Amino acid sequence: MSEGNGKRALIDALKACGAVKFGDFTLASGKKSTYYIDIKKASTDPATLKVIAKEASRVIKGLEIDAVGGVVLGGVPLATAVSLEANLPLVLIRKSEKGYGTGGRFVGDFHAGSKILLLEDVTTSGGSVKDAIEAIREAGAVVDRVITVVDRDSGAEKSLSDIGVKLVPLVRASDLI
C-alpha cells in the first residue's frame, strides 16, 4: 500500500468508526476544542485498528528498532497491534511504578541501548508522552521517534523536537476535520 493510499484508508477508517466527534470538549492538555479524536473508539474497532497497525508498520519499515512501546492505557492496543504487524517485541509503560507483584514501571524486556519506538493515540502538546520518554531514557534505552495516529498541530512536534524526538503523525487533525 502506498503512502497516499494508506493515509487515505486510515482517514476513511477513523471517520467510519465514529472516532471524529464535534462539540465542546476539554482535552488532556486542558485546552478546549470544538472537535475530539476518539482513538480509543478506533483502537477497539478491529478493522480500524488493523488499518492503524498497517500504516504505522509501513512508516517504520527499514528503521532500526528493537521494540515498540505504548503508554498504559491508550497506547496499549496501538502498540500491541503494531508489534504483531511488524513482528517486533512490545514494551508497555505504566504511568507510575507498580507497588506490588514484581513492581516496576515497564512490562516487556529491553536493555540499555535498546531503541524503542513509542506509539501515541493523539498528540496535542506532547506532554503525555514526554513522561514515558523520560522514564525509558532513565532506564537506559533510546527513544528518538514517536508515531502518533493523529497530531492536532498544537505544539507536540516542536515540544518533542526540543528533547531530540521526531514526531511522526500518521494523519493530522486537519486531514480529518
Side-chain angles (χ1 to χ4, degrees), residues 17 23 33 37 56 67 89-90 93-95 99 101 111 113-114 121-124 127 132 137 140 143 155 158 176:
C17 79
S33 178
I37 313 295
L90 175 66
I93 302 97
R94 294 185 178 104
K95 294 191 192 280
H111 53 80
S114 290
D121 52 5
V122 178
T123 48
T124 302
R137 286 177 170 176
V143 178
K158 168 136 181 29
L176 295 170

Side-chain angles (χ1 to χ4, degrees), residues 101-141:
T102 58
R105 181 137 185 217
F106 307 104
V107 176
D109 295 324
F110 64 90
H111 53 80
S114 290
K115 288 190 165 197
I116 300 175
L117 175 124
L118 288 180
L119 276 292
E120 182 73 321
D121 52 5
V122 178
T123 48
T124 302
S125 66
S128 298
V129 76
K130 282 174 101 172
D131 182 52
I133 292 167
E134 183 179 313
I136 292 167
R137 286 177 170 176
E138 284 176 5

